[in-house]
Amino acid sequence: MMVSSATSLIDRQAAARERMREIDQSPEAAGKERLAFLLACRFELPVMRVRQILADAPDFANLPDLVAWVEAIPTRPPLEIVR
């Protein structure tokens, strides 16, 4: 049981690192590194949704506004943009 649990943890950590890399290295993250990091931490958002949010995001003058904006993003997009 311990080996299975450890393997599962290692797999989840590897997946999280890969997710962060995909988001961080996406063209949409260029110049929006703080936003990319904060969105990458929202694990309930799929990578493609994060990339779309990055592409459409406004510029933020300060970190508190940025954090508040990220926290307000719903887990699921509005129905009209679901494909």
Side-chain angles (χ1 to χ4, degrees), residues 18-52:
E18 177 62 20
R19 171 190 166 74
M20 294 291 244
R21 186 193 62 74
E22 283 182 51
I23 293 168
D24 187 50
Q25 293 181 1
S26 70
E28 297 85 359
K32 299 179 181 180
E33 289 78 12
R34 282 183 176 176
L35 178 58
F37 175 78
L38 291 173
L39 289 170
C41 292
R42 294 272 312 261
F43 287 99
E44 76 279 8
L45 295 171
V47 171
M48 291 308 295
R49 175 88 172 112
V50 169
R51 290 180 66 181
Q52 183 62 49

